[in-house]
Amino acid sequence: MKGLFITFEGNDGSGKSSVIEAVKNELEKMNFKVVQTREPGGSKIAEKIRTVILDKDNIGMDAKTEALLYAASRREHLQKTILPAINEGNVVLCDRFIDSSLAYQGYARGIGIDEVYQMNLFATEGYLPDLTLLVCVRPEIGLNRIKNNHRGELDRLELEKISFHQKVYEGYLEVQKKFSDRIVIIDGEKSKEEVKDAALKVVLDYLRGHYEN
Ligand code: TYD
């Protein structure tokens, strides 16, 4: 049986990593075969592109160059990691995918959500996630969390000004409105337990519907 493709999105500091971990553990307990991966990266060449994108020396990178690099990395990731895993019947859980590009490059960097969407459709040949969980926190809360759990140096994108993070947040809400049939919002400002429970409910309801039909 073919697997499923579930993506997790959220602005920086939204707590989506803990959400993915919780979903993975639960699905494994239920004996689903699960593959966890993330963007940018997730395959050999995609990881190399990741180092270029996140390198602090590249602070002046042109917005469209950045969008193209993400799309190139995404295509590699899809071809080499995601599609083979889905074809083998795995549930693929991916930390960020196309909607990150729509919110960050399309909206926050001002290229345009539709433009970046079209460019990504070329890269993925129209392939989209089955389900997307968008973990949302207001940017000031997200950034405070990052500062407090400071796991080493901040990367180039985390160093951006608060106004950029505000735009990313607004961008995600726009993207969700556009693809409301696929993207479900999870309120990331609730307690860790509540966020986890809400995310699990969304995923399990979806799986039930999917595998019963
Ligand atoms: P990373 O440290 O991997 O991510 P996270 O914030 O998920 O822990 O950094 C990824 C950064 O790249 C993050 O700030 C979002 C950004 N990004 C884009 O701007 N566009 C994209 O298409 C993707 C996949 C990520």
Side-chain angles (χ1 to χ4, degrees), residues 12 16-17 38-40 50 54 66 70 74 95-98 100-101 104-105 151 155 157-158:
D12 296 85
K16 71 179 155 46
S17 309
R38 64 119 203 253
E39 290 207 348
R50 174 190 173 90
L54 297 182
E66 186 183 67
Y70 277 118
R74 179 158 304 127
D95 186 344
R96 298 192 181 281
F97 195 68
I98 188 167
S100 284
S101 284
Y104 284 77
Q105 283 67 54
R151 8 152 256 266
D155 70 33
L157 295 161
E158 287 166 345

Side-chain angles (χ1 to χ4, degrees), residues 8-12 14 16 96 100 104 133-136 172:
F8 297 81
E9 297 283 352
N11 43 323
D12 296 85
S14 63
K16 71 179 155 46
R96 298 192 181 281
S100 284
Y104 284 77
L133 273 65
L134 170 58
V135 188
C136 268
Y172 266 130

